[in-house]
Amino acid sequence: VSARRRAWTMSGSGGCLVLSTRGIKARHRHLLRDVLRLLPHANVSSKLDTQDGLGSVCQLCEDQDCSTALLLDARDPRRLYLWAANCPDGPSIMFRVMNVHTVAELKFDARRVNGVRNLLVFDVSFSKSPEKQVIQALLTRAFSVPAKASRKAQRLHAVRHAISFSWLEGGVWVRVFRIDRSEIDQEKIELNEIGPRFVLMPVRIISGGFYGAILSGA
């Protein structure tokens, strides 16, 4: 995997294409909607026809000037997968999505802020192996909002969401928070969870954008 960690691991994120395969369930559509609301730099595509596999996602990325793709894959009726890919050169990661809790289900009092940037927080475990470093790099590219994509980029507090990625029990536990000023002390900040929550269990890492040799996993 380490041979694949090239300049893209440090480069800024461009547009992110977000889409799903056909057959996605209503609850998972709500999860997709929740994720989209955190990504003002995202382009949304129609449901993907997978008769010829997933290779066409790279062409869709090129057509929409996107360098990264997030694909909810519901081809297996018993399981939901998420692909995160650097297009077209790769690598790509296939995750199994588990323990999903949508914003509507969680019913938190705090709400998201429209069109702002995300602070991404990864725990120290992601520095422990090349595979985890690749996972961190791809998630960073997908969830980092470029300054030009934020409607409030010129404001002092343009970063208003914190997305936490924690490595636990072999998977990535994802939590989302809103960053607020403390009402008691304006010099301090508070984190209020807004959702969604989900866990990403890595299945495999492959060399290209939705194609190529398996670098890690089954």
Side-chain angles (χ1 to χ4, degrees):
V1 173
S2 57
R4 300 292 302 179
R5 295 181 64 244
R6 301 173 295 194
W8 63 268
T9 61
M10 298 299 295
S11 63
S13 173
C16 180
L17 182 69
V18 180
L19 69 167
S20 70
T21 61
R22 297 185 183 279
I24 192 170
K25 297 178 180 179
R27 187 159 178 259
H28 298 151
R29 284 199 302 271
H30 295 164
L31 174 63
L32 186 65
R33 179 193 60 193
D34 291 343
V35 170
L36 273 169
R37 288 174 173 173
L38 299 171
L39 306 176
H41 65 305
N43 290 342
V44 185
S45 181
S46 58
K47 292 180 180 179
L48 183 70
D49 188 343
T50 58
Q51 289 184 345
D52 297 322
L54 304 179
S56 59
V57 177
C58 288
Q59 183 60 53
L60 292 173
C61 282
E62 182 177 350
D63 293 343
Q64 300 197 37
D65 196 25
C66 293
S67 60
T68 311
L70 290 174
L71 169 67
L72 272 184
D73 184 351
R75 291 176 295 174
D76 185 335
R78 300 167 299 172
R79 300 179 179 90
L80 180 70
Y81 295 96
L82 174 73
W83 289 83
N86 185 55
C87 295
D89 297 327
S92 305
I93 303 177
M94 179 186 185
F95 299 98
R96 184 177 176 187
V97 185
M98 304 179 69
N99 297 348
V100 172
H101 300 277
T102 66
V103 170
E105 292 169 343
L106 292 168
K107 298 180 180 178
F108 289 126
D109 291 335
R111 296 289 184 265
R112 64 184 175 84
V113 182
N114 291 330
V116 296
R117 302 177 71 188
N118 302 320
L119 173 66
L120 307 185
V121 182
F122 292 86
D123 72 31
V124 68
S125 300
F126 286 91
S127 64
K128 301 298 186 182
S129 72
E131 290 83 2
K132 292 175 186 174
Q133 290 171 5
V134 170
I135 291 172
Q136 177 177 349
L138 270 174
L139 292 176
T140 298
R141 285 184 63 88
F143 285 91
S144 292
V145 180
K148 64 181 180 180
S150 173
R151 298 179 207 165
K152 302 181 181 179
Q154 302 304 316
R155 294 192 180 184
L156 180 60
H157 306 299
V159 178
R160 290 294 308 277
H161 295 149
I163 305 179
S164 168
F165 300 92
S166 302
W167 187 268
L168 183 65
E169 299 177 347
V172 183
W173 293 59
V174 183
R175 301 288 185 271
V176 185
F177 302 85
R178 192 181 72 192
I179 303 172
D180 293 315
R181 290 281 185 182
S182 171
E183 295 182 0
I184 299 175
D185 185 348
Q186 289 295 304
E187 296 301 317
K188 296 182 179 180
I189 64 171
E190 296 177 344
L191 296 179
N192 296 295
E193 189 170 3
I194 58 175
R197 295 176 178 176
F198 52 94
V199 178
L200 301 175
M201 302 296 294
V203 177
R204 66 178 64 100
I205 301 174
I206 59 178
S207 59
F210 296 96
Y211 67 91
I214 296 176
L215 303 178
S216 177

